[in-house]
Amino acid sequence: MSLWQRPLKRLQAIAEHGTYRFRLNSLKGFVSLFLVGTVLSVALAACSGGGTGSNASSETPSATPVAASKDNVELTLVSFAVTKAAHEAIIPKFVEQWKKDHNQTVVFKQSYGGSGFQTRAVIDGLEADVVHLALAGDTSKIEKAGLIQPGWEKEVPNNGIVSKSVAALVTRPGNPKNIKTWEDLSKDGIKLITADPKTSGVARWNFLALWNSVIKTGGDDAKATEFVTKVYKNVPLLTKDAREATDAFFKQGQGDALINYENEIILAEQKGEKLTAIIPDVNISIDNPIAVVDKNVDKHGTREVAEGFVKYLYTPEAQQEFAKFGFRPVDDTLTLSKEVADKFPKVKTLGTVADFGGWDGINKKFFADGAIFDRIQAKKK
């Protein structure tokens, strides 16, 4: 059943769980409820990081189930940092289309930051209606917290993946260390800058890209462990997140190479920066999921517009905007177009999360306490 074909199911769920039922036993109860609402409103405004563009608003979402009947409705989008430019181009197009089709004005509140940080913020009370995160593992954490219903990835195309990228190797101008492949990162005298996969979603993709480069070329887990261990011995520091890694490389001049999203490279080049970057032939598909936060949209009465926005992100119009800002489109018709083919180098061997058993299996094998990454780090000491 599709995301936008389930209103009856949602209404039934609301009725069963009493979503909008509450009781005030006393004046004290009323005051307590008022104070809680005030604190949450302030927290949401603070976490949003300042909405951008004409669609930003400092007001909190309406906690009413009848937003569809209002002239204006507010939608809160929480996303990972590198999607900001694309969303700021897409949102006005959606607002215009929604106004035309529904005679209703949608005002967006937007929050951007590291995927792990955003995930925690939503779990801790940032009332997102829609989340667009760096990896499905983060979305699953919100699901496990009871905010998103199980099966969210089956309600939209591509298992919920709405934007894609691959890993890129950035080197110093002219590539003085002659770094061309993943294997080169394990050589003596090479210093690699990357974030800590224990704290950064992007860094988990980086780790998987390294591991995948061995597995996809005939190696086994033992060879992959040996290779990745050598690479991380060449990492002088692990930054908290991808933004700090980028700053350490470009602003502080640390390291000979940096692993980054391909879309970040494209966006930087569009801004006039001169970069030397390689897209390795063996790579990992960096898949970014979109999901409606069920508990919040039912509370705010914004399900219809939230589902409409998610659906719009899969249209050719929205996918073209993602492509303009460096994301590989999930729309096959766009992928085959000459414009897209010229922009994105073809990757010969592309690994996926599914190859490694999904994020639950990946996190348990690689990133849980005492798992492979921790054992690799222990060897550096």
Side-chain angles (χ1 to χ4, degrees), residues 60-86:
T60 55
S62 173
T64 169
V66 293
S69 64
K70 293 187 174 183
D71 292 335
N72 301 300
V73 59
E74 185 173 271
L75 202 67
T76 300
L77 169 67
V78 173
S79 190
F80 64 111
V82 299
T83 65
K84 183 177 180 180

Side-chain angles (χ1 to χ4, degrees), residues 347-377:
V347 174
K348 293 180 181 179
T349 306
L350 192 66
T352 67
V353 166
D355 295 338
F356 299 96
W359 278 109
D360 284 344
I362 288 170
N363 288 333
K364 182 177 180 180
K365 179 176 181 176
F366 296 114
F367 307 121
D369 291 343
I372 287 176
F373 181 75
D374 279 354
R375 295 198 294 271
I376 287 173
Q377 287 298 99

Side-chain angles (χ1 to χ4, degrees), residues 33 122 195 284 289 300 308 367:
L33 183 60
V122 172
I284 192 80
H300 303 155
F367 307 121

Side-chain angles (χ1 to χ4, degrees), residues 123 163 190 208 234 241 271 306 309 354-355 374:
I123 292 172
S163 60
I190 299 295
L208 285 181
N234 287 340
D241 55 36
K271 293 179 178 179
F309 177 63
D355 295 338
D374 279 354

Side-chain angles (χ1 to χ4, degrees), residues 51 72 100 153 197 209 264 282 333 361:
N72 301 300
K100 178 180 177 182
E153 70 277 14
E264 282 277 80
V282 180
T333 59

